[in-house]
Amino acid sequence: MVVFIHGLGETNPKLYGAFIKHLVRKGNIVIYPRYQRTLDFTTQIAAYNDSCAKGIQKALDTLRYAGGHVKPRMQNYFILGHSVGGVLTADMTMLYAQYGLPKPLTAFSMQPGAANYLMSDYSSFPSDIPYLILVSQDDIV
């Protein structure tokens, strides 16, 4: 099961369509939490964290308790995100217990960006969760 956290303003999963289709074809359930309603550069990261966690939890509850859905294997819970979603990936990985989310097996941030969305302290990031960060030479964010 993969939680795919979008970049700032990219609430439509079509932008990542090929990537999502690839993940699904490999047998993954993909959760795409929409943590924002509009493109807003003034929202604080704590609000995005709360919204993202609520979206993930709602999707997990639907998969686990509503009929007609594939049942997730909670032990195979993986988080990835792009841009601000990459920052939220780090936050969801660090704060999973606080939000009542499953412990991620691993996490992957692609071009995490936007310094004003970083939390002030990542010292409690779990050392037992493998975490990969992809950066790009020409990424200006």
Side-chain angles (χ1 to χ4, degrees), residues 22-118:
H22 170 75
L23 293 169
V24 171
R25 286 184 183 133
K26 292 290 183 181
N28 295 288
I29 297 170
V30 177
I31 295 172
Y32 192 86
R34 190 178 81 177
Y35 60 85
Q36 63 183 147
R37 292 189 186 280
T38 61
L39 184 57
D40 176 6
F41 294 103
T42 63
T43 301
Q44 299 298 309
I45 192 63
Y48 283 157
N49 281 337
D50 291 346
S51 180
C52 186
K54 285 177 189 173
I56 295 167
Q57 191 61 57
K58 184 176 179 179
L60 291 173
D61 288 346
T62 299
L63 288 168
R64 285 188 283 202
Y65 306 119
H69 296 283
V70 174
K71 297 297 178 200
R73 287 181 243 163
M74 301 308 287
Q75 72 275 13
N76 293 336
Y77 180 78
F78 176 80
I79 305 174
L80 69 86
H82 171 246
S83 190
V84 172
V87 174
L88 290 169
T89 295
D91 297 351
M92 294 297 103
T93 302
M94 185 173 72
L95 303 171
Y96 74 90
Q98 174 183 320
Y99 285 117
L101 298 172
K103 182 178 181 178
L105 187 62
T106 188
F108 177 34
S109 290
M110 301 173 292
Q111 300 170 315
N116 56 322
Y117 290 106
L118 293 172

